[in-house]
Amino acid sequence: MTVVDNTSATQAALENQFGLADRVVDAGTLANSVKRFREQGIVLPTFAQLANPASVDASVVGDADPQGPDARNLWRVHWYNDLHGRRVAVPDHVVLPSELTGVPNPIIVVFGDRFPMITAHKVLAAYSCLAPRVVTGQFDPTRHRAIWPSTGNYARGGVAISRIMGCRGVAILPAGMSQERFDWLDRWCANPAEDVIKTVGTESNVKEIYDACNELSKDPKNFVFNQFCEFGNHLGHYEVTGRALGHVFETVRASMKRDLTLAAFTSATGSAGTIAAGDRLKDDYGTRIVAVEALECPTMLENGYGEHNIQGIGDKHIPLIHNITNTDVVCAISDHATDELDVLFNTPAGKSYMASKKGISSELLDALEHFGFSAICNTLAAIKTSKLLDLGPDEAVITIATDGGALYPSSRKTTLAERFGGEMTEVDAAEVWGRHLGHITTEDMIDCTERDRNRIFNLGYYTWVEQQGTLFELFEARRDQSFWRGLRRYLPVWDEMITDFNARVAAS
């Protein structure tokens, strides 16, 4: 009988399966990467530099087109860009007024469509997964294909980061995603017929994506970056997104000149990367963390299932990198609300109604164009959270606009055709406002107890242990906050390894 050393097995799984290496795993692979990066003039930013871009000379990006395949765009993979790719002192954001939200407290929304190449913040997640694998000698850009499983933006982010880091990227995403995503992939992939893999279904069909990855992983040349279990995704957002959101909050608090507290952070879970920023905000401000999902697929809310159109948030499972036992509130939002508010925010009749009947300023109307489906979802959850927690004017909620409305014209056209006869009228606009903004309630929410957290945590067992073969000991270790605190030691280690890697690349 063979006795398995669980400690060694767990460490091997952390390194190989989940991206948590703190050493050079393969010196030959690392040497190949150094050579490739030297040939193509690629320099990697550290996580500390992405969290604080002011520490780096802004000229590092030179004349690089922020929407083009230029390796200098790695230095724009942070929240401190404007729409033209220029560095800003504070991440672009908007503070939503009570005229829109119906609640007395400030709701702060930070814009993700300022990120380069894909106009969505998922490019940060992709970098956070790939860069550590390169500098630890696990991923070889001269040999491996980078496989990026996603329900939307992460696959695009992976293809973009792969291309500018000198390797080949493959996108896996459901066939039902917006046409704009596939149009972008057709432009960026050298061979879309081979490098864009469409799986069956839409947002809720994550297992089908896993199945495709498991099949591809049989070829040793394919390296799967599964965002749902790559802890680099969690750590990148903890450090970079968490610090950026804290900076925005401090800026808003200073501008309001009162003792504002940061009561809550709302985030649609998706891969559960972004929600890691909430862990940082809780550490720094005592902020409550609100996990958001689609009402049509209420996995956390009631162990449910289904299908929905809030593109980019995924569901029907609990991601391995979701720190469930640190979650305070669960909130579900209907895709009827996100679909129809997207039309309201992006059509002449909708804007006219909001301006003339609700007193929404032209500046805010312009800002609402930068709310994609998941951004609207996050904002509605922020309003519901404000009501659930009975927040007052000195208690802020912060959230993010993952991407902008520019990614959804084809979906908007479908909604207009199916629900509004092809065109929204001002009467339609009034009804949409009334349905989705005028009468927001605290239904479909859980103010989590320990038992609620344990129930949701346990749901992940079926995906990760039974289906994906994750070690039970590693799965269970995630229940304790000491596991998550322990992960943070990798950030300075990776930064030191990135610095050493860059030095080797620069050496003649």
Side-chain angles (χ1 to χ4, degrees), residues 45-176:
T46 65
F47 288 97
Q49 288 169 326
L50 295 178
N52 180 24
S55 64
V56 179
D57 191 329
S59 66
V60 69
V61 300
D63 60 356
D65 176 2
Q67 303 310 326
D70 191 311
R72 291 172 293 178
N73 277 329
L74 291 171
W75 297 88
R76 287 186 169 113
V77 181
H78 55 66
W79 292 89
Y80 291 78
N81 306 294
D82 66 13
L83 284 167
H84 305 287
R86 296 176 299 228
R87 178 87 58 80
V88 294
V90 180
D92 283 356
H93 62 278
V94 63
V95 181
L96 300 179
S98 58
E99 289 84 0
L100 179 72
T101 65
V103 294
N105 57 293
I107 292 178
I108 308 164
V109 184
V110 186
F111 292 114
D113 65 353
R114 276 61 166 169
F115 275 81
M117 300 177 289
I118 70 168
T119 62
H121 82 306
K122 283 287 193 175
V123 72
L124 170 62
Y127 181 78
S128 300
C129 295
L130 181 55
R133 295 284 199 169
V134 169
V135 300
T136 56
Q138 293 179 290
F139 179 85
D140 187 340
T142 69
R143 179 170 60 90
H144 288 131
R145 291 198 311 168
I147 311 297
W148 302 96
S150 170
T151 58
N153 289 328
Y154 176 75
R156 296 193 305 124
V159 165
I161 290 294
S162 299
R163 182 166 172 180
I164 66 175
M165 285 178 62
C167 56
R168 181 179 176 186
V170 177
I172 302 180
L173 68 168

Side-chain angles (χ1 to χ4, degrees), residues 478-496:
R478 299 160 39 258
R479 198 183 295 272
D480 195 290
Q481 288 307 302
S482 63
F483 172 86
W484 301 93
R485 289 191 294 270
L487 293 180
R488 295 162 199 165
R489 74 174 182 86
Y490 287 94
L491 287 162
V493 171
W494 288 343
D495 278 359
E496 184 177 349

